Amino acid sequence: MVATMLTPIYVLGGSHKKELKMKTRKLGKTEIKVSELVLGGGYVGGIFLQSDEKEKLRAIQHAINSGINLIDTAPSYGNGESERAVGKLLSQLTPRPYLATKVQIDPLIRKDLAGQVEKSITGSLTRLETSSVDLIQLHNPLSKEDDIKHLGVDHLLGKNGVIKALQKAKDSGLTKYIGMTALGNPASCQIAIKTAAFDTAQVYYNMLNPSADITVPNNWTQTNFLKLMTTCEDHKIGIMNIRVFAAGILASTKRTGREIAITGSGDFKFEEDEQRAEKLFRYLPKSKYTMAQQALRFSLANQKISCVVLGLASFSELKESLHVASAPPMDHPSLEKLKQVYNSNYTLTV
């Protein structure tokens, strides 16, 4: 259910101020009403890693002033640098945002999972300069079996499993909620979601690949995420939409060199994705919105989503995204046109 936050966003236009309002949605079965847009601290966007201290504070405080109420980071982002950056700035932010970070099991060590979880959380809290966070999420891509990139789904279960260790952190007051990143093998992600142990899931879903919410044709050549969002909704798991810009392909024709389409899913054919994106935008009616804003409006049209995690590289990209805060989501006719493209596996003539 969508509600309107009280925090106004003022966008200068000529001699007038245009007031925008950030909306909130319920974050699954948690008690959090999360802003529709939240701030991500990852490598692909890089705002926490690439900017100087002044720019970081300027961007984060502007995001908070604009109604964004959650920051999502991880120890693996910049080898702890993202968490350190957030920790240094946290005491300067008013109001204090909700804070989410992650736990990643060492791909070469599958023993003492509980100890790994505890050590990771302790390190994160130290870097974040706080005694607790609101959300801790398993970061490993999942699969049926272990390999160098994936955590076998069996490691989630049992008295010595990852879920038990995360629940212990929750019971100890180190976090209010626990979540997962729904990447890797989609069928294994389904198994994890169906345990109903998690409060949230970070789900890959965007205008380029919406298979986490729709049935795609049998000849679909991209990763098929098997309608993971429907499974999340069935178990009242809050959906945090990640990679809304498809590593920048849906945001701009410029490239940063940090583009990673889907973590843990192997190689991808970047040029083919760019061609698909170009077709999508040609198919949409002309509008006043930028590519990035269209991508955001696409995700915000989906009421299953609790929030969109923004991976941003600059203050200007933040402002561009915030313009969508009170704009209407993508309209039904446009969504239907895109559905025709998906149903044809991008072979539809534009």
Side-chain angles (χ1 to χ4, degrees), residues 277-345:
E278 195 272 337
K279 174 167 278 194
L280 289 175
F281 285 112
R282 277 195 288 122
Y283 206 77
L284 289 173
K286 291 183 179 180
S287 76
K288 62 184 179 180
Y289 299 103
T290 66
M291 290 174 61
Q293 289 168 342
Q294 288 282 57
L296 283 174
R297 293 176 69 241
F298 173 84
S299 283
L300 293 175
N302 194 320
Q303 289 297 306
K304 290 187 177 78
I305 291 170
S306 295
C307 62
V308 174
V309 182
L310 296 173
L312 304 170
S314 66
F315 188 77
S316 62
E317 288 183 6
L318 172 62
K319 291 195 293 182
E320 181 182 0
S321 298
L322 288 171
H323 275 286
V324 179
S326 64
M330 188 170 284
D331 59 82
H332 183 72
S334 295
L335 294 171
E336 287 299 309
K337 288 179 180 178
L338 293 179
K339 192 175 292 184
Q340 293 177 42
V341 180
Y342 305 140
N343 288 339
S344 75
N345 195 15

Side-chain angles (χ1 to χ4, degrees), residues 53-68:
E53 294 302 314
K54 186 177 180 180
E55 181 76 356
K56 288 173 187 174
L57 178 58
R58 178 181 177 227
I60 297 175
Q61 188 60 67
H62 184 76
I64 302 302
N65 292 346
S66 301
I68 286 178

